[in-house]
Amino acid sequence: MSADLSELYQQVILDHNRRPRNRGKLPTANRVAHGDNPTCGDQCNVYLRLDGDRIAEISFDGSGCAISQASASLMTTQLKGKSPIEAVKLYDEFHRIVTTGETSDEISDLAAFAGVHTFPARIKCATLGWHAALNALKGNPVDATTETHKD
Ligand code: ZN
């Protein structure tokens, strides 16, 4: 790993990569979306249960580079309990961080990805899980489980 890359792989990213949070299918999900980043080979599925105006539960699975998987893991921890509008605001903040490297003091975990802005090809890796989550929120409810939903 080059010196530049080791700077990119900050502790928070390493930690999420080693111990991904909320990884695996969510049996109770009522929204699912798939994200694909062919330039790097990253894949990410996001499963979430929208309960009224809240993301009650959220998980992801997939495969790909450390940045994409760590970012998806962090994303699930940030979006759980949020409303779709809050999720979009958080994504806007995260996108600003990874494209400009500018961070605000309040959101420290998202700031771990600030180094990504010096590797433009990696921005898509970092935002993949977030795109999938926002698409899941925008999309129609889908049956992601073996249960039958009648409404
Ligand atoms: Zn990647």
Side-chain angles (χ1 to χ4, degrees):
M1 192 184 288
S2 73
D4 281 347
L5 267 180
S6 63
E7 270 177 54
L8 172 61
Y9 288 69
Q10 306 240 353
Q11 202 56 44
V12 171
I13 297 176
L14 284 172
D15 182 51
H16 276 276
N17 201 49
R18 279 195 210 110
R19 297 186 301 117
R21 318 300 200 277
N22 306 306
R23 188 178 172 88
K25 275 194 172 143
L26 185 66
T28 53
N30 54 14
R31 303 290 177 99
V32 177
H34 175 71
D36 186 19
N37 176 22
T39 59
C40 185
D42 307 320
Q43 308 271 337
C44 182
N45 295 304
V46 171
Y47 311 88
L48 63 87
R49 182 166 68 83
L50 196 60
D51 183 6
D53 196 36
R54 291 283 148 191
I55 300 167
E57 293 178 275
I58 182 166
S59 73
F60 81 101
D61 66 14
S63 59
C65 67
I67 294 289
S68 69
Q69 302 303 300
S71 175
S73 171
L74 176 68
M75 176 276 296
T76 62
T77 67
Q78 297 287 314
L79 294 194
K80 189 172 181 182
K82 301 291 194 301
S83 71
I85 289 168
E86 288 168 335
V88 169
K89 279 188 189 154
L90 272 170
Y91 171 68
D92 287 345
E93 173 74 11
F94 183 70
H95 187 258
R96 193 178 61 78
I97 288 170
V98 296
T99 53
T100 67
E102 289 167 21
T103 61
S104 61
D105 294 338
E106 310 126 52
I107 307 175
S108 55
D109 276 3
L110 296 185
F113 288 81
V116 169
H117 87 281
T118 57
F119 301 85
R122 295 292 194 148
I123 292 170
K124 282 185 181 169
C125 304
T127 56
L128 179 65
W130 290 80
H131 278 298
L134 294 189
N135 282 337
L137 286 171
K138 269 187 273 177
N140 294 319
V142 292
D143 189 2
T145 74
T146 53
E147 294 171 61
T148 308
H149 297 282
K150 284 176 183 152
D151 51 347

